[in-house]
Amino acid sequence: MGLRRVCAAVVAVLLASLLTVVAQGPAQAEVRHPRQDWLRQSTAGLFLHWGMFTAPKHLNCAEWERDVTGGGWTADYWIDEARKLGASYVVLATFHSRLGYARPWPSKIPGSCATERDLLGELVRAGKAKDVKVILYMTDDPQWHSEHGVQMLDSAAYSAHKGEQVDLTTREGFGRYSYDLFFEVMRNYDDLAGFWIDNDNEYWERNKLYEQVRQLRPTWLLSNNNEDTPIMDTVSNEQKTGMFPSYDYPAATFTPMPRLSEACYKLPNTGDWWYDGGNHAVDTRLNTGRYITNAGSSIKSLMAETPMVNGRMPAQQETYNNFMAGWVPPIRESIHGVEGAGYLYGGMQPGFWNDGAHGVITINPRTGKQYVHVVTRPRADFVRLRDNGYRVTGVRDLRTGEQLRFTQSAGHLTIQGITKWDEYDTVFAVETLGQQGFYPDVKASATSSGNGFPASNLTDGSHETYWDAGGAQPVSISLDLGRRRKAAFLAINQRESSPTHARVSFGRPEDSSRIKDYQVTGSDDGRTWWHVRSGALPSARGTQFIDIGAQEGRFLKLTVLGTWGGPQAPVYSKQLKIDEIRVGHSYPRGSRDGALEAEDASRSGSARTESCAACSGARQVTGLGGGERNAVTYRDISVATAGTYALQLDVTAAETSTVSVSVNGAAPTSVAVPRDRADVPDAASIAVSLNAGANTVKVFSTGRLGLDRVSVGGLPPSNYTPKTTLTVQPHGVQWVGPGQQSVKITARLRLDADDQIDEVSLAPALPAGWTLTGAPAVRTSMRLAGLLEGTWTATSPAGQDVGSASIPVAASFQLLGSDRKVSGAVPVRTRPADRVFVREAEDSANQFGSTGLTGCGACSGAEKVRNIGGSADASVTFPQVIVPETRSYRLFVRFTVNGARSYFVTVNGGAPVEVKVDGVGNNTPYVAEIPVTLNAGANTIRFGNDTAGAPDLDQIALA
């Protein structure tokens, strides 16, 4: 008997003995384990959706296999394509609910398509020969069993195999069938690397499937889709979109390091996850950006391609793979075997940098070398980013080998004179002498701690322990320096357990749990406190900084006044968690090289230089108040081409004022500057017209202002609008009665980006004949986290029905002198004559619990409520359902569903009534009708299912 047969026999005995194993206690996450080491060293994987329904669709298993083999399918081709992408593993999704439940291996368990040729075995062997792991996808979902009119699950054959009746089209029956398949695969494929689980099945969990995988195949990985299941090694985050920049995939993820996580996304711009017959384009800019930003957050890029029946990739995907085969190797050391920097592995600050630049940092944990990845280049010839206390000794362009000039002061590294930009990722290798300037012995306490995560975790030196605020807001953290000491800044690493901005993902509302508004105070005795600084932090990943100027005292207190997350996403609202807070006492200093420092320019009147530790070059020019007589004048600000540029001024402001700029003697242009510290600079930008060559620029102010430095960059592109959150109420189509109607509208604009916008106005725009009560809401300027709110009443014309109307609500503003606009709308419709009440499920008047809204093009109002059922909280409640009299009504429920599901409908707190429905496709609306008895006036109707998933809900109506 060969060694392989011996191993298989041993595994078979273990399988038999473990089928009845019941693990004790709840599963615990193994955040780190030796079996994960290979994946931690990886950058990417290749996700292959391929099966019977790959175009051209096959409904017969033997015919599909014949065409696979006849078309020339080879395992080596897939492995080679993965290697071109820099991928260390392949996930094969063939046993997929939308691809016919095909098994690419010879199986002794009947129930769905299985090939005679061992395609899985060939792939595993090919991967092993070229050091590429293979992971097998497994689905829990039987609902698509007859999507194409042919039954793809053979319940009769499986029932005969088991000796009892099992319905594979139910979750219980399918869970039982697929449970057996796990063990068959474990028995037969020693060199498989694990399973990729597309959500859980109750049968698997009840029978401790994962615990048995752990015992039978302890080196195999388990990955789960879209949720953090403790026993899994990897959390996979599927197809996140809507971020800015669009490639910044980590902005939509929710898993803190060192937990392993994947970004799972399609490379083709359009089409299904599987080959649908089209040669869809691949956006190189988008996908290289995802690849790099994921590496900069220790997230693995699981890239989905769509192989054809013969295994070949469509031409545009092959072209992309070939591009990556040449693009990755020159920067390989910066993306392979590295970790994301700015988090628990140390490193400088990722995110948005100067002049529109955006990128990430990677760090080699063994050598300490850091890599600055500029994915979006700045509108200038330099990159300026926070150094996080690292003393830099050298900077080199990794692709060209060119040594670059740099300066370092005020907590920033500036890489200068950059002339060669890669189209997708310019990488700078940065050598440092390590981190300096932080106190190592700070003690922390807080006014509130929750869930067993005390404030002492904030300063214990470990990012793997954290403080939980316990839902309290405001909440204060006191930092004891041990004795009276100097302090210059706070460096804060918040828990990366939420996305960076409000969004909806698969119908679930998400939001950022990070600090928004804060206040810092100081004290010598812990009892009497003085104001140090207040402001807002951006909702961003990685280390965030609060510069506090020249402070001296024993205690610092950070009071978090509010976080970014709103109540529409209760899972994230007020859920502040912080890994570490460090107190910095000084900034690393480097050589100066003639940057546009204010102290090097000409001065007039009372303008004078003084020291400023938080300023570039450690000096600034003060005394600029009082107008043009007290000024700083630059005689030689040069540009190559005449045009309009963004002039950034780093200023300190002891009081609210304006800063003004005159270029070449022209009339000055001014911008408002809010009050802040006189020894901490902040940026203000003005659009200025410059001539080719040298220009004279004079800077002055109306109030007490200091000038640190200026820089010149291009204007933001015309398609850039700073990120805002515009909330318009009421949300959803408003169904009103006949005749004249009035609609109360409220709107709230929040600026989420670290830009300044000016001349801000917020107001509805009415259809012809309507009248508006209430003036536009206006602000002269807004900065990060600024708010603008307004309330109006819109009244339709007298003597006629509303009909079909839309009331846009627009926020207009200027960005560096250029007009921008964001808008929402309140659609209003007259309800049908045979309906006494109509309301959309997504209407803001409803209560949503843990459900969420999602788009649905075929639905009324183009939205619906998803994720109803499975718990008491996952429900939708319609309050204020108003009818004219007490009697029985016909309730029309408009819904979408795939398969058989049930609502339980409760009226005015009465006994729930089950409403069973069935349908095919979650984008096809159906209508169910049930009788309900309602009281005259207001009623409450609840839709839920406490124990199982319910259909998605579009609208209700009463006749």
Side-chain angles (χ1 to χ4, degrees), residues 96 101 105 158 236 422 553 775 782 792 821 850 892:
H96 190 285
Y101 302 95
W105 70 88
Y158 182 71
S236 202
D422 183 79
M782 286 172 58
W792 309 269
K821 180 182 287 188
S850 61
F892 296 92

PDB file of all heavy atoms in Angstrom, residues 96 101 105 158 236 422 553 775 782 792 821 850 892:
ATOM      1  N   HIS A  96     -21.176  26.225  -6.689  1.00  0.00           N
ATOM      2  CA  HIS A  96     -21.730  27.566  -6.469  1.00  0.00           C
ATOM      3  C   HIS A  96     -23.211  27.542  -6.799  1.00  0.00           C
ATOM      4  O   HIS A  96     -23.636  26.919  -7.781  1.00  0.00           O
ATOM      5  CB  HIS A  96     -20.988  28.568  -7.354  1.00  0.00           C
ATOM      6  CG  HIS A  96     -21.285  30.007  -7.059  1.00  0.00           C
ATOM      7  ND1 HIS A  96     -22.465  30.608  -7.423  1.00  0.00           N
ATOM      8  CD2 HIS A  96     -20.541  30.965  -6.443  1.00  0.00           C
ATOM      9  CE1 HIS A  96     -22.444  31.878  -7.040  1.00  0.00           C
ATOM     10  NE2 HIS A  96     -21.293  32.112  -6.439  1.00  0.00           N
ATOM     11  N   TYR A 101     -24.214  24.128  -8.966  1.00  0.00           N
ATOM     12  CA  TYR A 101     -23.809  23.222  -7.882  1.00  0.00           C
ATOM     13  C   TYR A 101     -22.898  22.097  -8.403  1.00  0.00           C
ATOM     14  O   TYR A 101     -22.993  20.946  -7.972  1.00  0.00           O
ATOM     15  CB  TYR A 101     -25.021  22.614  -7.174  1.00  0.00           C
ATOM     16  CG  TYR A 101     -25.960  23.643  -6.594  1.00  0.00           C
ATOM     17  CD1 TYR A 101     -27.085  24.072  -7.306  1.00  0.00           C
ATOM     18  CD2 TYR A 101     -25.729  24.202  -5.345  1.00  0.00           C
ATOM     19  CE1 TYR A 101     -27.951  25.018  -6.777  1.00  0.00           C
ATOM     20  CE2 TYR A 101     -26.594  25.157  -4.805  1.00  0.00           C
ATOM     21  CZ  TYR A 101     -27.700  25.556  -5.524  1.00  0.00           C
ATOM     22  OH  TYR A 101     -28.546  26.492  -5.006  1.00  0.00           O
ATOM     23  N   TRP A 105     -14.876  17.193  -9.133  1.00  0.00           N
ATOM     24  CA  TRP A 105     -14.144  16.004  -8.699  1.00  0.00           C
ATOM     25  C   TRP A 105     -15.070  14.785  -8.779  1.00  0.00           C
ATOM     26  O   TRP A 105     -16.295  14.915  -8.659  1.00  0.00           O
ATOM     27  CB  TRP A 105     -13.602  16.187  -7.279  1.00  0.00           C
ATOM     28  CG  TRP A 105     -14.631  16.202  -6.179  1.00  0.00           C
ATOM     29  CD1 TRP A 105     -15.126  15.117  -5.504  1.00  0.00           C
ATOM     30  CD2 TRP A 105     -15.279  17.347  -5.595  1.00  0.00           C
ATOM     31  NE1 TRP A 105     -16.034  15.504  -4.542  1.00  0.00           N
ATOM     32  CE2 TRP A 105     -16.147  16.871  -4.573  1.00  0.00           C
ATOM     33  CE3 TRP A 105     -15.231  18.724  -5.824  1.00  0.00           C
ATOM     34  CZ2 TRP A 105     -16.928  17.718  -3.806  1.00  0.00           C
ATOM     35  CZ3 TRP A 105     -16.003  19.575  -5.067  1.00  0.00           C
ATOM     36  CH2 TRP A 105     -16.845  19.070  -4.064  1.00  0.00           C
ATOM     37  N   TYR A 158     -29.818  11.437  -3.528  1.00  0.00           N
ATOM     38  CA  TYR A 158     -29.156  11.593  -2.223  1.00  0.00           C
ATOM     39  C   TYR A 158     -29.946  10.848  -1.142  1.00  0.00           C
ATOM     40  O   TYR A 158     -29.348  10.237  -0.242  1.00  0.00           O
ATOM     41  CB  TYR A 158     -29.013  13.070  -1.865  1.00  0.00           C
ATOM     42  CG  TYR A 158     -28.292  13.296  -0.552  1.00  0.00           C
ATOM     43  CD1 TYR A 158     -26.925  13.051  -0.436  1.00  0.00           C
ATOM     44  CD2 TYR A 158     -28.980  13.731   0.584  1.00  0.00           C
ATOM     45  CE1 TYR A 158     -26.262  13.239   0.764  1.00  0.00           C
ATOM     46  CE2 TYR A 158     -28.326  13.932   1.776  1.00  0.00           C
ATOM     47  CZ  TYR A 158     -26.961  13.689   1.869  1.00  0.00           C
ATOM     48  OH  TYR A 158     -26.310  13.877   3.068  1.00  0.00           O
ATOM     49  N   SER A 236     -13.584  37.665   4.799  1.00  0.00           N
ATOM     50  CA  SER A 236     -13.548  38.156   3.427  1.00  0.00           C
ATOM     51  C   SER A 236     -14.616  39.228   3.250  1.00  0.00           C
ATOM     52  O   SER A 236     -15.764  39.044   3.662  1.00  0.00           O
ATOM     53  CB  SER A 236     -13.781  37.010   2.444  1.00  0.00           C
ATOM     54  OG  SER A 236     -13.273  37.328   1.172  1.00  0.00           O
ATOM     55  N   ASP A 422       4.957  57.107 -11.625  1.00  0.00           N
ATOM     56  CA  ASP A 422       4.320  55.948 -12.237  1.00  0.00           C
ATOM     57  C   ASP A 422       2.830  56.240 -12.378  1.00  0.00           C
ATOM     58  O   ASP A 422       2.225  56.880 -11.508  1.00  0.00           O
ATOM     59  CB  ASP A 422       4.537  54.696 -11.380  1.00  0.00           C
ATOM     60  CG  ASP A 422       3.956  53.455 -12.013  1.00  0.00           C
ATOM     61  OD1 ASP A 422       4.605  52.904 -12.923  1.00  0.00           O
ATOM     62  OD2 ASP A 422       2.838  53.053 -11.625  1.00  0.00           O
ATOM     63  N   GLY A 553       2.874  70.420  31.361  1.00  0.00           N
ATOM     64  CA  GLY A 553       2.011  70.051  32.465  1.00  0.00           C
ATOM     65  C   GLY A 553       2.154  68.570  32.728  1.00  0.00           C
ATOM     66  O   GLY A 553       2.854  67.854  32.009  1.00  0.00           O
ATOM     67  N   ALA A 775     -36.284  80.292   4.414  1.00  0.00           N
ATOM     68  CA  ALA A 775     -35.183  80.820   3.605  1.00  0.00           C
ATOM     69  C   ALA A 775     -34.079  79.774   3.460  1.00  0.00           C
ATOM     70  O   ALA A 775     -33.984  78.834   4.268  1.00  0.00           O
ATOM     71  CB  ALA A 775     -34.616  82.079   4.268  1.00  0.00           C
ATOM     72  N   MET A 782     -17.178  76.408   5.483  1.00  0.00           N
ATOM     73  CA  MET A 782     -17.254  75.208   6.311  1.00  0.00           C
ATOM     74  C   MET A 782     -15.955  74.438   6.173  1.00  0.00           C
ATOM     75  O   MET A 782     -15.343  74.396   5.103  1.00  0.00           O
ATOM     76  CB  MET A 782     -18.425  74.313   5.875  1.00  0.00           C
ATOM     77  CG  MET A 782     -19.790  74.836   6.278  1.00  0.00           C
ATOM     78  SD  MET A 782     -21.164  73.878   5.551  1.00  0.00           S
ATOM     79  CE  MET A 782     -20.823  72.236   6.179  1.00  0.00           C
ATOM     80  N   TRP A 792     -37.955  73.593   5.833  1.00  0.00           N
ATOM     81  CA  TRP A 792     -38.843  74.330   4.945  1.00  0.00           C
ATOM     82  C   TRP A 792     -40.186  73.601   4.828  1.00  0.00           C
ATOM     83  O   TRP A 792     -40.275  72.405   5.125  1.00  0.00           O
ATOM     84  CB  TRP A 792     -38.244  74.445   3.540  1.00  0.00           C
ATOM     85  CG  TRP A 792     -36.845  74.965   3.528  1.00  0.00           C
ATOM     86  CD1 TRP A 792     -36.431  76.252   3.418  1.00  0.00           C
ATOM     87  CD2 TRP A 792     -35.644  74.174   3.633  1.00  0.00           C
ATOM     88  NE1 TRP A 792     -35.065  76.332   3.446  1.00  0.00           N
ATOM     89  CE2 TRP A 792     -34.549  75.075   3.585  1.00  0.00           C
ATOM     90  CE3 TRP A 792     -35.386  72.809   3.776  1.00  0.00           C
ATOM     91  CZ2 TRP A 792     -33.230  74.647   3.658  1.00  0.00           C
ATOM     92  CZ3 TRP A 792     -34.081  72.377   3.855  1.00  0.00           C
ATOM     93  CH2 TRP A 792     -33.012  73.297   3.791  1.00  0.00           C
ATOM     94  N   LYS A 821     -21.822  71.152  -6.344  1.00  0.00           N
ATOM     95  CA  LYS A 821     -23.187  70.938  -5.860  1.00  0.00           C
ATOM     96  C   LYS A 821     -23.374  69.473  -5.494  1.00  0.00           C
ATOM     97  O   LYS A 821     -22.850  68.582  -6.174  1.00  0.00           O
ATOM     98  CB  LYS A 821     -24.197  71.333  -6.930  1.00  0.00           C
ATOM     99  CG  LYS A 821     -25.661  71.140  -6.535  1.00  0.00           C
ATOM    100  CD  LYS A 821     -26.619  71.502  -7.654  1.00  0.00           C
ATOM    101  CE  LYS A 821     -26.694  72.997  -7.842  1.00  0.00           C
ATOM    102  NZ  LYS A 821     -27.768  73.373  -8.815  1.00  0.00           N
ATOM    103  N   SER A 850     -32.492  46.257  12.936  1.00  0.00           N
ATOM    104  CA  SER A 850     -31.180  45.932  12.373  1.00  0.00           C
ATOM    105  C   SER A 850     -31.246  45.633  10.882  1.00  0.00           C
ATOM    106  O   SER A 850     -30.292  45.112  10.314  1.00  0.00           O
ATOM    107  CB  SER A 850     -30.577  44.741  13.107  1.00  0.00           C
ATOM    108  OG  SER A 850     -31.408  43.596  12.972  1.00  0.00           O
ATOM    109  N   PHE A 892     -52.051  45.267   1.019  1.00  0.00           N
ATOM    110  CA  PHE A 892     -51.251  44.809  -0.104  1.00  0.00           C
ATOM    111  C   PHE A 892     -49.771  44.967   0.260  1.00  0.00           C
ATOM    112  O   PHE A 892     -49.320  46.077   0.569  1.00  0.00           O
ATOM    113  CB  PHE A 892     -51.561  45.620  -1.362  1.00  0.00           C
ATOM    114  CG  PHE A 892     -52.977  45.447  -1.848  1.00  0.00           C
ATOM    115  CD1 PHE A 892     -53.985  46.310  -1.423  1.00  0.00           C
ATOM    116  CD2 PHE A 892     -53.312  44.415  -2.712  1.00  0.00           C
ATOM    117  CE1 PHE A 892     -55.286  46.163  -1.855  1.00  0.00           C
ATOM    118  CE2 PHE A 892     -54.619  44.251  -3.153  1.00  0.00           C
ATOM    119  CZ  PHE A 892     -55.609  45.122  -2.726  1.00  0.00           C
TER     120      PHE A 892
END
